Every structure is written in C-alpha cells, then in structure tokens.
Amino acid sequence: MKNANFAEKIRNYMEKTVCILAGARPNFVKVSPLVRAISKNPEARCLLVYAGCEDDPTLEPSLFDDLQMPRPQYYLGVVSTSLNEITSQVMAAFDRFLDTHPVDVVIVVDDLASTMAAAIVTKKRGIRLAHLVAGTRSFNINMPKEINRLVIDALSDYLFTAGVRSTGIATREQSENSQTYMVGNILMDTLRFNYNRFCRPAALPDLQEGSYIVFTLNRKALMADTENLALMLQAMTEAAGDTPIIAPLRGLARETVQKLGAGVQIIEPLSYLEFGWLTAHAKGVITDSGNVSEEATFNSVPCITLNNYTEHQETVSVGSNVLVGEDAGKLREAVGQMVRGEWKKCALPDRWDGRTAERIVQILLA
C-alpha cells in the first residue's frame, strides 16, 4: 500500500495540471477536443471549470453527450447579467477555486467577461495563462468584448490563434514573456470529430436537404434596434420567396422575432448534433454568430453575417461568408443571390484540419 501511495504521488508530481475555464455554452464546443486530447496524454490531467451553475438551462442534458466529453468537475456558480458583476464574482470565485486546486496552466476561451476575470486572477497568482482564439479584434474600443480581448491577450503567456490575420495582430501586440502560435481553428476539430454523428432534427422529419435557409440571432445590439431589425427581417423573408427560413431561437431572440411577426419558422433550440445537421444541409445560413459562420465555411454553405466585421476574416477572404452589417438593402441583395445560387467560390482556410487541440497540448507540455 505504501509503495502504491508513493507511486501515485510521483505520478501526480510529474503530471502537468491544465485548468480549462469555460464561461458560456459555446465555449464547450471549442474546448471539447482539448479535454479529449489532454485526457489521452499520460503527462497531463485536465480540470474543467464552468463559470456558471450546474443547473444552467443553456447546458441541455444532451450537450455533453453530443460532444462526447465529461461535464465540468467544478462550477463557480456565477449568475448575473451585469458584465461588471460577472467580472468581480468570477474573480472572487476562481481565486477561491485556485486556493484548493493547484494548477500549472489555465486556458481561457474567447472574449467573455468571465474569461477576462479568470485571466486576471491567473496572472496575479503567477500561473501561466493560455488564450484560446487569441488575436481577434473588431478595433472598436466601445465594444466590451474588445476590451476583454485586449486585456486577455496582454496577460497571456500562450497566444493560440486560428488564422493568419489574428496571428499577425497577436504577434505585434504580444508582451516580452508571451509567445504566439498559429494552431488553427479548434472549432474544426469538433466539427470533424462529430460530422458523421450529425442527425436530422426530430422536429423536422420531412425537411429536404438544400431546400431551406437557417437563421440565428444572438447579438443584443442588433435586437435592441427593433425598428431596423424589422426592416431586415422583412427584406430577408421577401428575398427568400418560397424558400422557408428556419430559426432555432431561444430567450430574448425568440421573443423579439415573435413580436415583430417575421415570416420565419421559429422552432425550439436544437441539440448540438441536430443543429450541426441543419446547418450542414442548408441552402444557406443567415446569422450574427462567428461560430455559425465558421461552420458554414467548413460545410461550403453560403453564409450571410449580420455584422460589419468578423473575428475570423478568413471566412470572408477564403470561405463562404459575406458581411452585410445591419443594412436591410444589402441583406435583401445577398439573400437573393443565395436563393438563386449565385454565390462566390470558397475553400477551407489554412490549418482547419482538425489537429488544433493536438498542437496546443504539444506546446503546453513541451
């Protein structure tokens, strides 16, 4: 027994403990390949922490089964809609977590308030910090997420970027002690791993492939201007003509679109595998989500993004994405082209090969 305990202590000493902090549901889609890659490596162990609560309604029971990953071992229990409150509460809760859970490196994802909060606590404790999807910029300092990005990247020891543009930005801005690595788009790891497991939505059994458009809505700024949103929805549905527009919406987005009486088919939010099938087999996608536009490029499905910029410029320069901002006229024109099949040629950007998590783990354990 003593020998067994001694061997366990030696193993724990030699292992590198990697803590992954997920701040919201979309983060799990990106970190699932990392969790699997770390779990397969005998030199490392993974602690998965969620900033929210265990009973968070956005974490549907099927999510972790669909992604084939374990649920988080730890929950910080932060629930708030105020960005400043989220920041302060996550800082306090994550600091308490690190009191009792020594780690060698913390990986934070994207640009949430919780992401920035965890990054600050990590560096104050002298723990190495890695930023997954670093170097993304809108260059609009009035956006809270832009401030988060600047702070997180400035603090990070490892800047893991997804494309050439973000790599250039991260390299120019990196501190003396940080290193930038173009590891590729980790969302593609998830897509490639799960693509053959995608399944037709049970609520749409008769849906014909390539006969519909998928519409998603998430940005609060877009929903706040209901007058302009109404014009955009009208332009979208009129240009689509007889092509049905299917909208799996939840929460505020669902309420807003219903109140505006838009001619779209609103359905309940789908599981990850069902939504993956829906977007992969669509005639086109209209969205304000960067993740959804990236998936559309992977699937070579025409995509319209309701924004003036994208964090992943390669989806526009190489992929199937087109930006129309919040302009109803541009949206009408683009939807018309989508329906008529008059879309640009597209290809897969560099390093969308499904090996991003593998590269990250190799760097962290080097």
Side-chain angles (χ1 to χ4, degrees):
M1 180 64 71
K2 290 183 178 179
N3 289 337
N5 290 338
F6 179 74
E8 179 69 14
K9 288 181 180 180
I10 292 296
R11 187 177 68 84
N12 290 338
Y13 176 77
M14 295 180 65
E15 280 183 338
K16 180 170 285 190
T17 301
V18 180
C19 175
I20 301 176
L21 189 286
R25 182 187 186 278
N27 287 171
F28 290 109
V29 180
K30 292 186 177 180
V31 304
S32 58
L34 266 179
V35 173
R36 284 192 298 272
I38 294 170
S39 66
K40 293 177 181 178
N41 195 305
E43 299 178 20
R45 69 188 185 106
C46 178
L47 301 183
L48 181 59
V49 180
Y50 181 47
C53 296
E54 190 168 1
D55 60 354
D56 186 331
T58 66
L59 305 184
E60 69 272 16
S62 66
L63 176 63
F64 299 100
D65 290 336
D66 286 351
L67 294 173
Q68 295 196 327
M69 67 178 291
R71 293 184 67 90
Q73 299 108 309
Y74 308 98
Y75 297 82
L76 301 184
V78 174
V79 179
S80 178
T81 56
S82 165
L83 296 180
N84 288 334
E85 284 185 4
I86 291 172
T87 302
S88 61
Q89 290 179 22
V90 169
M91 286 184 68
F94 193 53
D95 198 39
R96 289 193 297 271
F97 169 82
L98 292 175
D99 280 338
T100 54
H101 298 86
V103 302
D104 296 291
V105 60
V106 173
I107 301 176
V108 294
V109 191
D110 288 337
D111 50 19
L112 304 173
S114 55
T115 306
M116 181 183 70
I120 293 171
V121 171
T122 300
K123 290 308 294 180
K124 282 189 173 184
R125 282 179 166 264
I127 300 170
R128 296 186 72 76
L129 175 67
H131 187 198
L132 183 59
V133 199
T136 59
R137 295 288 185 275
S138 67
F139 299 102
N140 180 0
I141 201 64
N142 294 317
M143 290 180 59
K145 286 188 175 183
E146 185 73 357
I147 297 172
N148 297 344
R149 294 164 184 155
L150 289 166
V151 172
I152 299 163
D153 278 357
L155 295 176
S156 294
D157 300 287
Y158 304 96
L159 298 165
F160 295 131
T161 63
V164 174
R165 181 171 179 265
S166 56
T167 299
I169 292 170
T171 301
R172 289 194 301 272
E173 297 180 2
Q174 72 183 29
S175 66
E176 291 182 5
N177 297 321
S178 64
Q179 292 293 325
T180 299
Y181 303 91
M182 182 175 162
V183 293
N185 192 329
I186 199 162
L187 192 61
M188 301 307 112
D189 291 34
T190 304
L191 276 174
R192 289 179 180 274
F193 182 80
N194 291 292
Y195 191 83
N196 292 329
R197 300 173 58 241
F198 287 163
C199 55
R200 182 188 299 269
L204 303 165
D206 300 322
L207 193 64
Q208 295 183 0
E209 299 179 14
S211 66
Y212 59 90
I213 293 171
V214 178
F215 171 61
T216 76
L217 181 65
N218 185 61
R219 280 202 301 130
K220 292 181 179 179
L222 189 55
M223 290 182 274
D225 189 351
T226 53
E227 184 176 345
N228 187 60
L229 180 59
L231 293 174
M232 295 177 70
L233 293 173
Q234 181 181 1
M236 180 177 73
T237 53
E238 288 179 353
D242 295 331
T243 303
I245 300 175
I246 300 174
L249 302 176
R250 71 172 82 223
L252 179 61
R254 186 184 186 92
E255 294 174 10
T256 303
V257 175
Q258 284 178 330
K259 286 179 181 177
L260 293 176
V264 300
Q265 182 182 346
I266 299 176
I267 62 173
E268 292 295 324
L270 300 173
S271 70
Y272 172 76
L273 295 181
E274 288 183 324
F275 184 76
W277 187 95
L278 189 71
T279 54
H281 296 90
K283 177 185 285 289
V285 174
I286 303 171
T287 185
D288 59 2
S289 164
N291 287 358
V292 175
S293 65
E294 292 168 58
E295 292 171 0
T297 281
F298 176 82
N299 293 316
S300 298
V301 171
C303 180
I304 299 169
T305 294
L306 308 178
N307 212 333
N308 292 313
Y309 81 98
T310 173
E311 291 90 346
H312 298 282
Q313 187 61 35
E314 61 270 22
T315 64
V316 175
S317 59
V318 179
S320 63
N321 192 20
V322 168
L323 307 179
V324 299
E326 299 175 13
D327 188 313
K330 291 181 179 178
L331 177 58
R332 183 189 298 273
E333 181 180 356
V335 174
Q337 293 173 336
M338 178 182 285
V339 171
R340 294 190 299 270
E342 301 171 356
W343 211 251
K344 62 178 180 175
K345 293 182 179 179
C346 60
L348 275 184
D350 188 26
R351 294 207 174 182
W352 284 34
D353 55 5
R355 298 183 60 193
T356 296
E358 177 185 326
R359 295 186 187 103
I360 291 173
V361 172
Q362 287 177 347
I363 293 167
L364 292 179
L365 299 183

